[in-house]
């Protein structure tokens, strides 16, 4: 009986159409504090400054994870715009680009950057491999690729200790 009531409610539901263009249908949260706005303004003045672009993109992806606001992913992509379409951008750009693409569920598009980064020995190796495992195992259903990423992580860890 309860299932029938749920089905009936869904079947009878009609889409909401605002009566006028001035009707507010949703209020989005305020996105940035003063420091983030200042950082964006500085980046607008100096878009080719890689350290500033990386800091802006990292902050935006952190906020995207915390709030679920997809606009933050757009901000991260915009911060990396001078390098976004490059075939071989700097390694930190590759990792952030892969992070944004993965967050947008463009898993196959994120993998080439992650594969290029694998094993280059930077401080982001753990993040790179973790993202690769997540994409390979959960998103693409490729447990063999996930195991390969784990094996590579183990070899890198052993090399650091050895």
């Amino acid at each position: 009986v309860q299932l029938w009531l749920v089905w009936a409610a869904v079947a009878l539901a009609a889409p909401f159409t605002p009566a006028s263009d001035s009707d507010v249908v949703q209020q989005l949260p305020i996105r940035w504090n003063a420091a983030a706005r200042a950082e964006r303004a500085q980046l607008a003045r100096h878009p080719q400054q890689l350290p500033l672009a990386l800091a802006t993109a990292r902050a935006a992806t952190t906020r995207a994870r915390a709030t679920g606001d997809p606009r933050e992913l757009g901000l991260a992509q915009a911060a990396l715009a001078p390098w976004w379409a490059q075939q071989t951008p700097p390694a930190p750009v590759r990792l952030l680009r892969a992070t944004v693409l993965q967050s947008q569920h463009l898993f196959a598009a994120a993998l080439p950057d992650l594969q290029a980064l694998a094993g280059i020995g930077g401080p982001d190796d753990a993040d790179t491999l973790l993202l690769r495992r997540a994409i390979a195992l959960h998103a693409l259903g490729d447990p063999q690729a996930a195991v390969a990423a784990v094996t590579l992580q183990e070899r890198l860890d052993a090399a650091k200790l050895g």
Side-chain angles (χ1 to χ4, degrees), residues 114-128:
L114 296 170
Q115 289 165 338
L117 288 169
I120 63 170
D124 294 324
D125 263 350
D127 292 339
T128 300

Side-chain angles (χ1 to χ4, degrees), residues 152-162:
L152 182 55
Q153 178 69 57
E154 289 170 348
R155 284 200 325 259
L156 289 170
D157 290 345
K160 287 177 189 174
L161 294 174

Side-chain angles (χ1 to χ4, degrees), residues 44-146:
R45 288 189 300 275
H46 306 286
Q48 297 290 332
Q49 190 178 31
L50 182 58
L52 180 59
L54 292 172
T56 302
R58 283 186 187 111
T61 56
T62 298
R63 287 191 305 268
R65 287 182 184 128
T67 65
D69 188 345
R71 297 175 295 171
E72 297 292 349
L73 299 173
L75 176 60
Q77 183 173 349
L80 300 172
W83 305 274
W84 189 265
Q86 288 182 2
Q87 192 84 23
T88 55
V93 172
R94 278 187 185 262
L95 179 57
L96 284 165
R97 181 169 63 185
T99 300
V100 169
L101 292 170
Q102 183 269 341
S103 298
Q104 295 170 331
H105 295 197
L106 299 171
F107 306 114
L111 277 178
D113 279 332
L114 296 170
Q115 289 165 338
L117 288 169
I120 63 170
D124 294 324
D125 263 350
D127 292 339
T128 300
L129 291 167
L130 180 63
L131 199 52
R132 269 182 74 192
R133 282 197 304 265
I135 289 173
L137 183 59
H138 299 293
L140 299 178
D142 188 349
Q144 290 176 332

